Amino acid sequence: MRFRDRALLRLLDADERAALLTAEVGDRLLATAFLPQEATVGPVTAVVTRQVSLMPASRTPQPVEAHLYDIQSTHQWRLTAQLPLTDPTVDADARLDLTLLASRAGVQTSVTEVSVDDLGGIAALDAVDARIVAEDGSVPTDAQALRERRLVSLVGILEDRFDTSAEAPLGDLLRRRGVTFEELRAGLSTPHNPLRLRLKLVEDATKPATETAFKVVCVAFVLDGPFDDLAAQFAGIQLGMARTAASAELPQPPPGTTVRTATPALLLFPETALDDGDLPTNSTGIDPSDTARLRAARLTELTTRLRHIGIVPVAVPSPPGVTA
């Protein structure tokens, strides 16, 4: 049996579904669906399934407006309606209404310390090129290659001066915005005065932690080859997420949290897909022959990167006798 068909059957069985939707998957889903603001949340202790439907379909209603006139009088009528003018569209392989059980405690955040550092001269061309020479031995001679390498160098200098989390690395943020070296250097140079503002925040619990039900409506996509034509895969997944969000009655977030992704997506794929050596990972200190640790490192990196677009990767081990 094909992996996709077997995975769909797993979602219909309570025991096999529980083996897929573990507390670890629940943690990743919780971090993708909700954003704590005035609360500390987690970890997930249980994933409870309220409802599962395979191949959920939706119709996209279109506004229709009609004007009627009586040719023997001046009367006229105007009618408006929302009508589905197209055939139903399959949004995903499955829709799951889940409840994630996790601890939640309200917090009050206070600023206890403020410091400001002057970053004047951080974008000096000599310093940027010196870093390139220290790392590569020389600067590129091609003009375009030199601009690209200088951008990498300047971003590296900034990352050395700022403490950022793995969820929002400064370098990734700048690269996603498509900033060029010239633009970044101009923003950090005269007449601008770049500063680093450091705030020390202290969170104090306002009430004891209690077990809280985080209700989530999510869609599931089962892909045999998840990293083949990744752009097309992401486009289809995000369309399904948007259609589901438009037609579903979404639960409200618990107090102290806000919705990060209205209808997150579970991307189920064979665990063996993580053996792709081109996948991004931090493999420092991992033995290349240690398949389990390499897969775990690649899954962690995928989880961090895909969280920003509402997708939760789920690597599914193949049962004995079943091939992906």
Side-chain angles (χ1 to χ4, degrees), residues 55-283:
M55 305 301 177
S58 65
R59 290 178 177 267
T60 304
Q62 300 291 334
V64 176
E65 184 173 306
H67 293 268
L68 306 178
Y69 300 90
D70 186 342
I71 60 175
Q72 295 181 345
S73 70
T74 59
H75 291 99
Q76 58 179 299
W77 297 266
R78 179 174 174 269
L79 304 176
T80 60
Q82 295 277 340
L83 299 177
L85 301 181
T86 59
D87 293 333
T89 301
V90 175
D91 296 330
D93 290 319
R95 167 179 160 166
L96 298 96
D97 292 23
L98 306 175
T99 298
L100 310 176
L101 298 179
S103 63
R104 178 184 60 85
V107 297
Q108 181 177 4
T109 304
S110 304
V111 178
T112 61
E113 185 178 320
V114 179
S115 63
V116 178
D117 298 326
D118 187 356
L119 298 182
I122 193 171
L125 203 57
D126 290 345
V128 173
D129 288 348
R131 184 184 179 101
I132 297 175
V133 172
E135 294 178 350
D136 302 346
S138 62
V139 296
T141 55
D142 178 74
Q144 179 61 29
L146 178 58
R147 284 194 295 270
E148 293 175 356
R149 185 62 183 87
R150 279 175 168 170
L151 176 60
V152 173
S153 176
L154 182 51
V155 169
I157 292 172
L158 289 173
E159 288 182 320
D160 290 345
R161 298 295 297 272
F162 286 87
D163 298 326
T164 57
S165 68
E167 292 189 1
L170 178 61
D172 286 357
L173 175 63
L174 294 173
R175 282 185 282 271
R176 284 199 301 272
R177 291 187 175 182
V179 178
T180 65
F181 170 70
E182 290 78 8
E183 292 169 340
L184 183 57
R185 183 167 181 259
L188 296 170
S189 305
T190 306
H192 304 288
N193 182 28
L195 302 171
R196 180 179 67 173
L197 176 64
R198 184 190 297 271
L199 303 177
K200 183 176 182 180
L201 305 178
V202 175
E203 293 184 340
D204 297 315
T206 57
K207 293 182 180 179
T210 58
E211 185 176 68
T212 303
F214 293 81
K215 294 184 177 181
V216 183
V217 174
C218 60
V219 287
F221 294 83
V222 185
L223 300 178
D224 297 320
F227 311 124
D228 300 335
D229 195 358
L230 201 57
Q233 306 279 30
F234 284 169
I237 290 173
Q238 291 185 303
L239 282 174
M241 293 165 61
R243 285 195 296 261
T244 302
S247 60
E249 184 175 346
L250 302 177
Q252 294 297 312
T257 66
T258 187
V259 173
R260 183 174 193 168
T261 305
T263 51
L266 297 175
L267 174 57
L268 281 68
F269 58 88
E271 188 178 44
T272 52
L274 292 172
D275 296 332
D276 186 340
D278 291 332
L279 288 174
T281 183
N282 180 7
S283 57

